[in-house]
Amino acid sequence: QVQLVESGGGLVQAGGSLRLSCTASERTVMGWFRQAPGKERAFVAAISSGGTITNYADSVKGRFTISRDNAKNTVYLQMNSLKSEDTAVYYCAAKRGTIPASGRRDDYPYWGQGTRVTVSL
């Protein structure tokens, strides 16, 4: 079982920035997903266990950056130029195995508790 602890959500104005963190109990492929009210949980970004391969949803490319510090088993999601449509609960996810930076929700068996991000106009 991989344990995940997220932090960093909050309220921010449109155009602002936030950084989310997720600390895992072991080194794995990590992803961020988000779920807006009334919508399904959707892929945001993922990073390979070594940090050399990343993958982004089209909606966040150029605005969000995923990175990791393997010495701390921590993955970050730097979110810039935030928009109201980025408002959601953000979930960190982890998977073992060889498929790097997967964007498929079903590939991730381990999930954090979620952290809420609210972007105001």
Side-chain angles (χ1 to χ4, degrees):
Q1 186 81 3
V2 178
Q3 308 295 326
L4 301 168
V5 178
E6 301 154 354
S7 61
L11 173 64
V12 64
Q13 287 189 328
S17 298
L18 276 177
R19 189 177 79 157
L20 306 182
S21 300
C22 177
T23 299
S25 56
E26 63 184 79
R27 184 169 153 181
T28 62
V29 174
M30 303 284 283
W32 287 97
F33 292 75
R34 65 186 181 187
Q35 189 165 16
K39 295 189 177 181
E40 292 190 354
R41 195 170 297 187
F43 172 68
V44 176
I47 188 166
S48 61
S49 58
T52 57
I53 299 172
T54 57
N55 185 15
Y56 295 93
D58 288 343
S59 59
V60 306
K61 280 181 182 176
R63 299 189 299 123
F64 291 11
T65 301
I66 190 169
S67 62
R68 66 189 303 153
D69 182 343
N70 282 336
K72 299 179 180 179
N73 276 348
T74 298
V75 172
Y76 305 98
L77 185 68
Q78 178 67 44
M79 305 185 294
N80 298 329
S81 302
L82 283 161
K83 306 175 181 179
S84 59
E85 51 263 44
D86 295 319
T87 294
V89 176
Y90 283 70
Y91 295 90
C92 175
K95 64 178 292 293
R96 299 184 179 110
T98 58
I99 300 175
S102 171
R104 284 169 39 86
R105 184 179 63 191
D106 291 346
D107 284 344
Y108 293 85
Y110 307 108
W111 293 84
Q113 78 283 2
T115 184
R116 185 174 300 276
V117 172
T118 302
V119 183
S120 63
L121 293 172

